[in-house]
Amino acid sequence: MKFLNDGYKSLQLDIVGFLAILGESSVLVQSQVAALSYFFLLPRLVPAPQALIRTSRPEHLEPSTGTVVGAYSGGIRHHVNHLAHLLHNGNSLPEYSVRCEKVTKTKAGSSDVRARPFGPVIWLSILGFMMSLALFAISIAEDDGFALVATLALSFLSTLVGFGNRCILKLSERKANRPVPPSDVVINYPNGAFLIIKCDEYTARELYWHPEQCDYMVSPTIYRVLSLGGTLILMFGVICLGNATLNLQLGFAASYIILNAAYWVVAALPPQWNWDLSYYRVDRIHYEGGEKNKSFTQALWKAIAITQTARWVKIGSIAPISKAWDSWIDEAEQKAKLGHGGWDEKGDVVRELPDWDFDAALTRHLYSDEASHSV
C-alpha cells in the first residue's frame, strides 16, 4: 500500500491547525470553575481557545432547572442556583423522592467558594503547560522557527484570555438583622422529586435566593481588547502551525488529540470534583417511611407533612390547578398540623409523619369536583 511504501514523510498534515480549534463544548463546560484558579493563567495549549474569546462574559453561574420556594417566607425562584445544585447533587434525586437535608456553614463570615485545589480542571492546565514546554524544546532542537512561534503564540494566547476571564465568586450577604420567618427552602425538580432544606437566612441568601456574581479581574472594555488580541494571535498561531515541519506537526497533532480526550473525560466527571464547597456542611436527615415514593401525590403529601404547611405549594404552583386539588392541599395542611410531624426544635430530626390516606382523599375530592360539574 502506498502509505506503507512511502513512509510517514508522505503524510499531508496541512489541516493539523483545525485540531487546535476542536473540542469547544468540553472546554466551555468547565471554563467558569477553571477561571477561579490562578492556574487558569498558565501559558499552555488549550483545545478550542476561541470558546473563551467572546464579545461578553457571563455575569452569573449557569442555573439548573427546578422551582425553589420558601417554605414559610413565600419567596420563589424558577431555577436552582448552580452552587446549590452542586451542593445537594440534585441530579441524584430519584423520581418522586423526598429528601431532607440540613445546611450549615463551617466558618463564620462570607463564604469563599473556589476551584478545588488540584482538582481535575487544575490538572488539565498543568497538562497543557507540559505540552507547551515539550513542543517548545522540540521546536528548538529541530530548528523549526514556525513551530516555535506557533507554540509561543498558542500558549500565551491562553494566558491572555485567562486574564480576561479570571474572576472570583461573590455571594450575596445579608446586611440587616431584622427578624425574618424561618428560612427553610423547598426545591421541586422536574422529575417530581422534592428537596427540603433546613438552613438559616444567611445561608439561604447565599445559596438559593441570589445568583452567584462573577467578579472579573478586568473591566468589560479591557476584556474586549484582550479578546480582539486573542483572536489575532489565534489566527497567526494557526498559520504558523500550518507551516511547521512534519515532525512538529505530528507533535502538535498528538498534543491536541491527547488534550481533547483529557478535556472530554474531565467534562464527563461529576462537576462536584472541581469545586471547593468546604464552607458548607450538608447533613442528610432520615425519617420514618424513607425517601422513595410511588407517586407525585405521595411525595407532595410527605413534603407538606414535613414542613407542616402547604402555603409553598400554592405559591410555587407545584400541584395542578383545580378545585379538587385545592381542597386536597387544604386538607393535607390540616392533617399535617394535627399530627406530630415536622422538624424537632433543633432542626436535626424529622418526627414521625401523620398517618393519613392521601390517595383516598384525593380520589374523594376529584369525584366531588366531577359531581359538582355534572349538576
Side-chain angles (χ1 to χ4, degrees), residues 4-27:
L4 290 178
N5 293 332
D6 294 347
Y8 82 95
K9 291 185 178 180
S10 64
L11 291 174
Q12 296 296 318
L13 293 179
D14 295 337
I15 202 172
V16 73
F18 285 103
L19 292 176
I21 59 174
L22 296 179
E24 188 168 332
S25 60
S26 58
V27 171

Side-chain angles (χ1 to χ4, degrees), residues 100-114:
C100 298
E101 293 182 339
K102 182 178 181 180
V103 180
T104 53
K105 297 178 68 171
T106 59
K107 300 178 183 178
S110 58
S111 299
D112 184 14
V113 177
R114 60 183 68 189

Side-chain angles (χ1 to χ4, degrees), residues 46-61:
V46 178
Q50 77 278 2
L52 304 174
I53 304 175
R54 295 167 285 190
T55 55
S56 62
R57 302 166 294 187
E59 297 181 0
H60 312 289
L61 300 182

Side-chain angles (χ1 to χ4, degrees), residues 43-44 125-135:
R44 68 199 188 279
S125 297
I126 295 174
L127 176 62
F129 177 67
M130 298 303 294
M131 294 286 190
S132 292
L133 285 181
L135 290 171

Side-chain angles (χ1 to χ4, degrees), residues 70 72-75 77 103 105 172-185 197-210 280:
Y72 311 105
S73 67
R77 293 290 183 273
V103 180
K105 297 178 68 171
S172 177
E173 297 183 33
R174 187 187 179 206
K175 305 296 183 182
N177 291 317
R178 293 185 295 268
V180 294
S183 304
D184 298 8
V185 172
I197 301 145
K198 189 78 174 177
C199 63
D200 60 27
E201 179 66 17
Y202 297 95
T203 303
R205 285 181 181 238
E206 287 181 357
L207 291 176
Y208 311 107
W209 297 127
H210 295 274
Y280 301 100

